[in-house]
């Protein structure tokens, strides 16, 4: 095959030549148009500040600010024509503004650069996403609290290595995810606070010679303060990386819960029934009810974590200050934000709709010698036996029960005394799963009373 025909194959999309290739690789309007509202908000604040400082006249600033609202209205109504030739959202807005207000539009870019403009826009967008994620987390936490309160007394098996370990309560299991998501909530709030500094006025990289008031624009845009170093301000994407990091950890938590829901809703477990709204049927097997929403949530962590790694790789080798590489930041964050919000909403819906199969949970809670630890603890308390000895005695009794094909509670007192003659009838009081969970009264334990303590604590925190 000749080089010419080869070039035609891979370059067919860019038949117009190098100019078309450069336009395609350089343009970001295809994705950064999502920041239109933030871009216009930043420009309106900048124009107001320029007028307050006497850099623009009041009439010029008023025309610009009104014109920008017109542009925003056109974008929101779908009547705005985006141009790839104009590269990005900033130039698209400015070009349309010029058509609307004429010459004053050319003065808007005084004392700023696209570098600090995009840094400001992106911070505003990410800050909005932090706020959205916070609301999504709160909604999911509240749904879990309802489930926990409803099933504070329901017994179910607790697992280690996915094997029956000790009985726990349904409420305790739900509250475990409340704790995880509570840490996510804390990270969201912490990261939002740290990123709430305004880059606007840093210009290209060195600041500006114009007498601007960065504190005014910062306050107008809801930031706590202006950024303190212009080089860092235009080249920093830590706020985006923190968002992706927070999103990755949160998505991991959602994925763990999704995995449990997949297992719990299976025919082999039947711990929960998921609603039809978050399940699908099989195209050929009428008995099937597939937990598709949970499975898709489980998969979301891959693309969200991938976005985190991708942006880390983009940023790791960049010298100060701005490089065009940084244009690759937004698609990663946009995709992660979309998918995290979708996963949070879907999980909230599943938690609200799912119903626990209480009888199946209780039956499973009593299987697998789940009260063996309670027996060992009873030997320590009632017989004053060292725990290691109690562990050995309990193991012997478990082996006996296995050989007889019964559970610990089904062994006779004579069977138990044959292993250790100080065991009394009182031992049976600890061998029911209900008494097992009630006894776990240590702070943070699985007893219904402790579960209710933690539910109330979270209600107070969120009030």
């Amino acid at each position: 095959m000749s080089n010419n025909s080869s070039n035609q194959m891979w370059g067919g999309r860019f038949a117009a030549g190098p100019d078309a290739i450069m336009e395609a690789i350089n343009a970001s309007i295809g994705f950064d148009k999502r920041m239109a509202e933030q871009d216009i908000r930043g420009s309106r604040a900048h124009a107001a500040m320029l007028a307050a400082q006497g850099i623009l006249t009041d009439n010029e600033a008023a025309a610009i600010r009104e014109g920008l609202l017109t542009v925003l209205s056109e974008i929101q109504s779908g009547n705005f024509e985006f141009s790839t030739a104009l590269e990005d959202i900033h130039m698209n807005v400015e070009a349309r503004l010029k058509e609307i207000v004429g010459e004053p539009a050319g003065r808007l870019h005084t004392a700023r650069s696209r570098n600090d403009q995009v840094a400001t826009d992106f911070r505003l967008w990410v800050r909005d996403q932090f706020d959205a994620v916070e609301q999504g987390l709160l909604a999911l936490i509240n749904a879990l609290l309802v489930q926990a309160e409803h099933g504070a007394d329901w017994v179910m098996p607790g697992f280690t290595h996915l094997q029956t370990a000790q009985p726990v309560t349904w409420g305790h299991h739900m509250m475990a995810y409340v704790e995880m998501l509570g840490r996510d909530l804390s990270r969201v709030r912490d990261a939002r606070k740290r990123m709430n500094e305004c880059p606007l006025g840093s210009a290209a990289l060195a600041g500006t010679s114009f007498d601007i008031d960065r504190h005014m624009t910062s306050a107008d845009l809801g930031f706590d303060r202006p950024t303190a170093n212009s080089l860092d301000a235009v080249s920093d994407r830590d706020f985006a990386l923190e968002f992706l990091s927070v999103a990755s950890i949160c998505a991991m938590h959602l994925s763990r819960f999704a995995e449990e829901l997949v297992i719990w809703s299976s025919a082999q477990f039947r711990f929960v029934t998921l609603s039809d709204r978050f399940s699908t049927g099989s195209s050929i097997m009428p008995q099937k009810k597939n937990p598709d929403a949970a499975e898709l949530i489980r998969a979301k962590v891959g693309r969200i974590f991938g976005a985190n790694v991708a942006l880390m790789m983009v940023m790791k080798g960049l010298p100060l200050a701005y490089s065009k590489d940084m244009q690759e930041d937004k698609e990663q964050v946009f995709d992660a934000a979309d998918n995290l919000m979708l996963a949070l909403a879907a999980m909230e819906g599943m938690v609200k709709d799912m119903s626990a199969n209480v009888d199946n949970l209780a039956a499973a809670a009593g299987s697998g010698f789940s009260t063996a630890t309670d027996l060992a603890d009873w030997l320590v308390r009632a017989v004053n036996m060292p725990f290691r000895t109690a562990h050995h005695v309990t193991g012997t009794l478990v082996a006996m029960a296995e050989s007889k094909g019964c559970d610990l509670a089904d062994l006779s007192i004579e069977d138990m005394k044959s292993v250790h003659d100080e065991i009394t009838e009182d031992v049976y009081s600890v061998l029911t799963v209900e008494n097992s969970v009630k006894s776990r009264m240590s702070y943070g334990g699985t007893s219904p009373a402790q579960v209710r303590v933690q539910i109330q604590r979270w209600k107070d925190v969120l009030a």
Side-chain angles (χ1 to χ4, degrees):
M1 181 179 289
S2 69
N3 282 340
N4 184 53
S5 61
S6 176
N7 288 345
Q8 287 176 350
M9 288 181 69
W10 66 256
R13 181 179 171 194
F14 304 111
D19 289 348
I21 296 173
M22 186 58 194
E23 181 177 301
I25 198 172
N26 193 51
S28 59
I29 187 60
F31 50 85
D32 70 14
K33 62 186 177 183
R34 290 188 63 166
M35 301 192 303
E37 183 179 340
Q38 289 79 16
D39 187 74
I40 288 169
R41 185 180 173 192
S43 291
R44 280 173 51 81
H46 186 64
M49 181 276 296
L50 292 177
Q53 294 300 103
I55 299 169
L56 291 182
T57 67
D58 288 343
N59 287 339
E60 288 170 332
I64 288 169
R65 284 166 58 81
E66 285 301 313
L68 286 168
L69 288 179
T70 300
V71 175
L72 179 61
S73 176
E74 291 176 353
I75 292 172
Q76 290 176 335
S77 64
N79 294 322
F80 190 93
E81 188 173 335
F82 294 99
S83 167
T84 304
L86 291 171
E87 295 185 16
D88 55 34
I89 186 61
H90 325 297
M91 298 305 293
N92 270 263
V93 169
E94 188 172 322
R96 178 63 182 133
L97 180 65
K98 186 175 181 180
E99 292 174 354
I100 296 170
V101 304
E103 188 269 342
R107 300 183 182 277
L108 174 60
H109 210 53
T110 306
R112 76 175 184 187
S113 159
R114 274 194 290 179
N115 292 355
D116 63 333
Q117 188 179 359
V118 69
T120 303
D121 292 357
F122 199 23
R123 277 186 189 247
L124 287 169
W125 194 93
V126 171
R127 192 177 69 183
D128 288 344
Q129 295 310 301
F130 273 128
D131 293 342
V133 172
E134 178 178 8
Q135 292 308 306
L137 284 167
L138 288 169
L140 178 51
I141 287 170
N142 278 305
L144 286 164
L145 288 174
V146 171
Q147 281 282 358
E149 192 163 29
H150 195 51
D153 297 288
W154 300 342
V155 290
M156 65 176 289
F159 299 94
T160 60
H161 309 279
L162 202 57
Q163 300 193 50
T164 300
Q166 294 176 261
V168 296
T169 50
W170 172 265
H172 196 52
H173 203 111
M174 295 299 106
M175 292 305 294
Y177 283 101
V178 169
E179 292 294 327
M180 290 185 214
L181 297 168
R183 292 192 294 273
D184 292 326
L185 185 63
S186 175
R187 277 184 283 269
V188 164
R189 290 170 172 171
D190 182 54
R192 188 198 189 283
K193 182 178 180 180
R194 186 165 35 257
M195 61 88 68
N196 203 33
E197 297 181 344
C198 184
L200 196 58
S202 298
L205 75 162
T208 178
S209 59
F210 289 94
D211 181 24
I212 61 173
D213 185 349
R214 293 191 62 208
H215 288 85
M216 178 180 173
T217 47
S218 175
D220 194 354
L221 294 171
F223 290 104
D224 294 329
R225 66 191 69 83
T227 52
N229 183 285
S230 59
L231 280 170
D232 177 58
V234 299
S235 62
D236 167 44
R237 292 298 182 271
D238 287 3
F239 61 93
L241 287 166
E242 282 204 72
F243 177 82
L244 292 174
S245 175
V246 169
S248 295
I249 297 172
C250 181
M252 176 269 292
H253 290 150
L254 297 178
S255 180
R256 292 184 73 179
F257 196 15
E259 169 70 1
E260 294 202 314
L261 293 180
V262 169
I263 294 170
W264 290 357
S265 62
S266 69
Q268 290 72 27
F269 274 72
R270 298 188 186 279
F271 283 3
V272 299
T273 301
L274 300 178
S275 76
D276 291 344
R277 295 198 301 173
F278 294 96
S279 307
T280 64
S282 166
S283 60
I284 63 170
M285 295 170 282
Q287 83 282 9
K288 292 285 293 301
K289 186 175 182 181
N290 300 323
D292 284 9
E295 291 169 353
L296 290 166
I297 290 170
R298 188 174 58 185
K300 294 297 183 187
V301 69
R303 65 194 296 166
I304 293 172
F305 187 71
N308 191 16
V309 173
L311 186 53
M312 289 284 279
M313 293 301 292
V314 167
M315 297 301 299
K316 74 174 185 63
L318 299 186
L320 294 179
Y322 181 84
S323 297
K324 192 71 170 181
D325 311 50
M326 292 163 68
Q327 185 169 288
E328 291 296 308
D329 55 2
K330 293 166 201 67
E331 285 180 288
Q332 310 296 341
V333 176
F334 292 164
D335 185 74
D338 289 346
N339 283 284
L340 180 62
M341 289 306 300
L342 185 58
L344 282 168
M347 185 60 83
E348 181 200 353
M350 280 194 294
V351 169
K352 280 183 172 179
D353 284 5
M354 72 179 180
S355 57
N357 299 324
V358 180
D359 292 342
N360 291 352
L361 289 171
S367 67
F369 309 105
S370 64
T371 57
T373 305
D374 297 274
L375 173 55
D377 289 346
W378 182 87
L379 290 168
V380 172
R381 287 195 308 270
V383 185
N384 198 28
M385 190 180 291
F387 183 80
R388 288 300 173 197
T389 305
H391 185 280
H392 175 74
V393 170
T394 300
T396 304
L397 289 168
V398 166
M400 179 185 291
E402 279 186 315
S403 69
K404 289 176 175 287
C406 67
D407 207 344
L408 284 170
D410 299 319
L411 291 174
S412 69
I413 190 64
E414 290 76 22
D415 289 333
M416 292 198 183
K417 282 183 174 292
S418 71
V419 176
H420 196 282
D421 62 6
E422 293 185 63
I423 297 176
T424 68
E425 293 277 355
D426 182 59
V427 71
Y428 293 105
S429 68
V430 303
L431 296 183
T432 65
V433 290
E434 290 78 13
N435 285 343
S436 173
V437 296
K438 286 178 182 177
S439 72
R440 306 291 170 181
M441 281 293 294
S442 57
Y443 183 83
T446 193
S447 72
Q450 276 297 314
V451 168
R452 291 188 175 95
V453 166
Q454 297 304 326
I455 291 170
Q456 188 57 52
R457 180 177 71 86
W458 270 101
K459 285 183 176 180
D460 292 342
V461 167
L462 299 177

